[in-house]
Amino acid sequence: MSKVENRKKLGLTTAIFIALLLGIIAGLVLHYLVPSGAFKDRFLVDGVFNILGNGFIRGMRMLVVPLVFCSLVCGAMAIGDTKKLGTVGLKIMVFYVATTALAITIALGVANLINPGIGVDMSAIKAQETTIAEKSSVADVILNIIPINPFQSLAEGEMLQVIVFALIIGVILAKRGDDARQFSNIISQGNDIMMDMTMLVMKVAPIGVFCLIAKTFATIGFDGFRPMLKYMFCVFLALALQCLGVYMMMLKGFTGINPLKFLKKFLPVMGFAFSTATSNATIPLSIETLDKEIGVSKKISSFTIPLGATINMDGTAIMQGVAVVFVAQLFQIDLSIADYLTVIATATIASIGTAGVPGVGLITLSMVFSSVGLPIEGIGLIMGIDRILDMTRTVVNITGDAVCTTIVAKQDHALDLKKFEGHVGA
C-alpha cells in the first residue's frame, strides 16, 4: 500500500472516530439542553438523523448479499480442493461454536457473582412491548440451511442459505476449471465491483455514524441507564473478558502474534461495528482489513467472515446469559444447574442463523427464556437500554469472527506474518 493510500485510509478511520465522539456529544446536548418540540424531535432526531443514519445502514446492507455471495464463490474457487475446504469449514465451525458456548458460560458466571437483579426497583424500569421469537427445533435449524429457492434466499437475505448455495457453486467452478472460466471471471469481477462499491459507500461513513450515534443518545440520554447500571456493568464486564481476555489468549496461543498490535489494526472495524450495531454491515470492512492489515488471505476470510456474521454471535450470547440471571433474580426464580446447561445449549443453537442486524438478540432471547420457564415480559424491562449494549456486543461479535479467522488462516498457512508486522495500524 502506498503512503498516499495509507493516508486516505487513516483519514477515513480518524473521521469515523471523530464522528462517533461528536455524535455522542451532540446527542447528549440535544437530550439534556434542547427542549422537546418539532425542531428537535421531528426535524432532527426522527428526520435528519434518522434518514441519514438509517440510509447509510441500508446502503451497507444493500451490499451484503451480493458481496457475500461473490466472495464466498471466489473463496471456494480459490481453495479449490473440496477436502481442504471441508477442513477449513470444520475448523471454523468448531471455533465458532466453542467460543459461543464459552461466552455464555462466562456471562452466567459473572452474573451470578455480581447478582444484577437483586435489590433492583422494578417500578423504576420502563417496560416495553416484547417481540417473541418462533421456536425452532434443531431439525428445523438444519433443514433451513438448505435453500428451496436460491433466488428467493438471495432476495430475502437468508444468509445461511446464500452461504450454502455460494459454496456449492464455488466448489463446482473449481472442479470444472478452464471449462467454466468465463463464468468464474464474471463472479470474480462481480466481487471486485462490490468491493469498490463498498469503498464508495464508506466515504459517507462519518456522516452515517454521527447521525446514528446522535439519534441514540438524543433519545436515551443517561436517564434510562440508572436503574439498570448493575445489569449493564455485568454485560460490559463479560464482554470485556471475552474480547480482551479469551480472544487475545486464543490469538496469542494459536498464532503467536501480538494481541495489542492486532487490536490496534482492527480498531477501525470495531469502531464501525459499534456505531452501526450490525455485524452484516462490517463484513466488507472486516475482509478488507484482515487482508491488508493483518495478512489473512481473502480465500479464507471471504468464507469465514460471512459465515461468522451469521452463526457466531458471542456478544449476543453474553447478553442473553446475563439477562437470564438478571430476570430470574428480579422475579425471584431459582435456576438449577440443569437450567444453566439448558441456557448454554439453547443460546448457542439460537445464535446459528441469527441475522446480523440491530436488536435481533432480544428477539432470540425469548427462545432462551422459554427454555427455562422465565417470564417473557422480563425482556421488556431491558429493551430500553439495549441499544447501547447492542452496539458493544456487535464489537465482540465481529472481533470473535476476525480472531477465529486469523487462527484458521495461520493453521492453513494463509496468514502473511510479514504483512502483519510491516503495516502499523491506525
Side-chain angles (χ1 to χ4, degrees):
M1 183 186 292
S2 68
K3 289 183 179 179
V4 175
E5 286 175 340
N6 199 40
R7 280 176 193 157
K8 284 182 181 177
K9 186 161 187 181
L10 179 65
L12 178 62
T13 300
T14 306
I16 288 174
F17 278 108
I18 291 172
L20 190 66
L21 294 173
L22 290 177
I24 293 172
I25 294 168
L28 292 175
V29 168
L30 283 172
H31 184 82
Y32 291 107
L33 301 181
V34 179
S36 296
F39 175 75
K40 173 188 169 182
D41 298 327
R42 282 196 290 241
F43 178 73
L44 277 182
V45 178
D46 293 327
V48 175
F49 292 165
N50 184 47
I51 292 170
L52 293 179
N54 285 302
F56 170 66
I57 290 290
R58 288 174 75 93
M60 290 301 295
R61 289 176 66 183
M62 169 185 73
L63 305 170
V64 169
V65 172
L67 178 64
V68 167
F69 177 77
C70 291
S71 64
L72 276 172
V73 173
C74 290
M77 284 193 299
I79 293 175
D81 183 7
T82 52
K83 188 180 287 186
K84 191 175 180 183
L85 182 65
T87 303
V88 171
L90 181 62
K91 282 181 182 177
I92 200 68
M93 284 294 295
V94 168
F95 276 116
Y96 283 163
V97 172
T99 54
T100 301
L102 184 58
I104 194 167
T105 304
I106 289 172
L108 291 171
V110 168
N112 276 291
L113 189 66
I114 297 175
N115 298 318
I118 295 177
V120 175
D121 181 10
M122 287 179 64
S123 63
I125 305 172
K126 295 179 182 178
Q128 296 189 21
E129 190 176 341
T130 307
T131 304
I132 300 175
E134 294 182 14
K135 284 189 176 180
S136 298
S137 66
V138 176
D140 288 337
V141 171
I142 294 170
L143 288 173
N144 284 337
I145 294 173
I146 305 168
I148 297 173
N149 183 343
F151 296 101
Q152 184 179 355
S153 301
L154 287 163
E156 295 179 355
E158 295 287 346
M159 295 309 297
L160 273 180
Q161 297 178 7
V162 170
I163 286 169
V164 169
F165 184 56
L167 287 175
I168 292 171
I169 290 178
V171 169
I172 292 172
L173 288 175
K175 282 190 171 183
R176 290 184 65 87
D178 290 338
D179 292 341
R181 186 153 304 281
Q182 282 186 320
F183 188 72
S184 300
N185 288 339
I186 290 171
I187 297 291
S188 297
Q189 288 168 4
N191 190 47
D192 292 339
I193 289 168
M194 295 315 301
M195 283 294 183
D196 289 343
M197 196 181 292
T198 299
M199 293 304 110
L200 189 66
V201 175
M202 282 298 294
K203 287 183 179 178
V204 297
I207 298 171
V209 166
F210 172 84
C211 292
L212 287 167
I213 296 294
K215 182 178 185 294
T216 297
F217 279 89
T219 305
I220 300 174
F222 289 126
D223 298 338
F225 297 163
R226 291 190 185 100
M228 304 290 286
L229 284 176
K230 211 172 175 184
Y231 166 75
M232 292 178 69
F233 174 73
C234 273
V235 176
F236 286 140
L237 178 58
L239 290 172
L241 288 173
Q242 181 76 6
C243 190
L244 303 177
V246 173
Y247 291 158
M248 296 306 108
M249 285 191 288
M250 285 176 60
L251 192 67
K252 184 67 176 175
F254 283 103
T255 70
I257 67 177
N258 187 329
L260 291 178
K261 186 174 283 191
F262 177 90
L263 285 173
K264 190 176 181 183
K265 287 169 175 287
F266 201 67
L267 194 60
V269 187
M270 296 167 76
F272 183 69
F274 179 81
S275 57
T276 60
T278 163
S279 299
N280 281 346
T282 65
I283 289 172
L285 193 58
S286 290
I287 292 173
E288 200 71 10
T289 303
L290 283 169
D291 174 38
K292 294 184 177 177
E293 298 293 331
I294 311 297
V296 174
S297 170
K298 281 187 179 180
K299 73 177 183 181
I300 299 293
S301 62
S302 61
F303 169 53
T304 58
I305 292 296
L307 187 66
T310 307
I311 69 168
N312 188 41
M313 299 287 176
D314 295 353
T316 303
I318 283 171
M319 177 276 291
Q320 292 173 344
V322 175
V324 163
V325 176
F326 176 68
V327 171
Q329 291 176 348
L330 278 182
F331 289 92
Q332 298 181 343
I333 298 171
D334 291 327
L335 297 175
S336 65
I337 297 295
D339 289 330
Y340 286 126
L341 292 174
T342 301
V343 168
I344 293 170
T346 307
T348 303
I349 293 170
S351 71
I352 298 174
T354 298
V357 296
V360 75
L362 286 175
I363 299 172
T364 57
L365 181 58
S366 62
M367 294 168 57
V368 179
F369 273 26
S370 298
S371 70
V372 288
L374 292 179
I376 302 299
E377 296 77 20
I379 299 173
L381 300 175
I382 61 178
M383 285 179 70
I385 50 88
D386 189 67
R387 174 68 184 182
I388 298 298
L389 297 178
D390 193 13
M391 294 156 72
T392 311
R393 65 178 178 257
T394 303
V395 174
V396 175
N397 288 341
I398 60 103
T399 305
D401 298 344
V403 168
C404 291
T405 293
T406 305
I407 292 170
V408 170
K410 177 69 165 62
Q411 294 179 343
D412 202 55
H413 308 290
L415 177 63
D416 187 349
L417 291 175
K418 289 182 180 178
K419 185 181 284 190
F420 177 78
E421 297 296 339
H423 290 293
V424 178

